[in-house]
Amino acid sequence: MRFVVDHDFHIHSTVSPCCHDEGQTPEAILDYAIKNGFSKICLTNHLWDESVESEAEWHEMQRFQCLKSVLPLPRAEGVEFLFGAEADMDYNFVLGVGEEALQSLDFITIPTTHMHLVGNTVRKKIETPEGAAEIWLLRLNALLQKDLPWHKIGVAHLTCGHIFKGRTPEVIKLIKDEDLYNVFSDCAEKGLGIELNMKTLSMSEEEKVILLRPYYIAKDCGCKFYLGSDAHKVEALEAAKDNFENIVTLLGLEEKDKFELVKTL
């Protein structure tokens, strides 16, 4: 059976400091789910937990107490609205999630590719595509060494534009198949989710070949996938489902490839 596009597990509201659309409220996000026939959505505002020490400085709006200000989330029949977070990992590979958050959040998506945040996620500016490819693997492997509840952990946007000056295809081409098979085999063993949100509707055929390769390999390794728009504004939600459908078609995904997220009790 074809992978059913019935969810979005990576969405921001105005609580995220980088969300500047006042209309991007939990109510608007719920309306998006209803209009698109989604049975599950997850709010994932940026998190650096105040209980976790870091050498880097993080925005006050990323505190867990700030994230909880959206609760209780609005409800609608047929839609499960989950409370999650997008939690960063600093340049020392410290993950900004405290014990309370780890226990109470329904889902945590972790972007190992926020490689543009100099002084936060990377110690110094990345100077070359080769350096970016090395750090791409280093950060993902560092995450996989952690002791986490992998059943509610996802890895966000592995081929996003933040990797190196918008030159993502150039970087991804440098990562060897062998290294990708090794890291995604580990992902599959742990059972975490791999996020799909590449803007394939606007990609060239050459870009598709390059940027879909990691996901084909992840699929070959037995990884499970979830859909995440990473929307920071209402406008970004409008084409999300069409993009999801296109990704599913390009990767030939089936329901057995889906990462199943169950609400925390």
Side-chain angles (χ1 to χ4, degrees), residues 37 54 67 71 77 102 120 134 202 240:
S54 174
L67 264 63
L71 299 176
E77 186 176 354
L102 196 64
N120 291 77
E134 181 179 352
S202 58

Side-chain angles (χ1 to χ4, degrees), residues 98-231:
E99 191 59 33
E100 180 192 354
L102 196 64
Q103 294 297 322
S104 59
L105 289 166
D106 296 313
F107 181 60
I108 304 164
T109 184
I110 302 170
T112 58
T113 51
H114 274 172
M115 291 157 52
H116 61 306
L117 300 176
V118 178
N120 291 77
T121 56
V122 292
R123 192 177 296 273
K124 59 183 180 179
K125 184 179 179 181
I126 301 171
E127 299 291 349
T128 64
E130 290 79 8
E134 181 179 352
I135 294 172
W136 189 98
L137 275 170
L138 184 66
R139 287 179 60 79
L140 183 52
N141 276 308
L143 173 64
L144 293 170
Q145 302 309 307
K146 297 187 179 297
D147 181 15
L148 294 170
W150 297 109
H151 64 281
K152 61 177 182 179
I153 301 294
V155 181
H157 44 59
L158 284 167
T159 52
C160 72
H162 294 314
I163 293 172
F164 180 66
K165 303 178 181 179
R167 294 159 61 183
T168 302
E170 190 174 347
V171 175
I172 297 300
K173 283 176 70 175
L174 293 169
I175 304 173
K176 298 177 181 178
D177 282 1
E178 179 183 3
D179 291 328
L180 290 172
Y181 270 101
N182 286 336
V183 73
F184 285 127
S185 292
D186 200 359
C187 289
E189 182 179 347
K190 286 180 166 49
L192 56 81
I194 303 295
E195 184 173 294
L196 301 173
N197 68 357
M198 312 80 71
K199 303 300 185 288
T200 54
L201 289 171
S202 58
M203 282 182 187
S204 68
E205 292 305 312
E206 181 182 6
E207 287 173 326
K208 289 176 187 177
V209 170
I210 296 169
L211 296 180
L212 291 177
R213 178 175 64 102
Y215 303 100
Y216 283 122
I217 291 175
K219 179 185 174 185
D220 198 31
C221 290
C223 288
K224 304 298 182 181
F225 301 92
Y226 68 93
L227 306 166
S229 62
D230 193 14

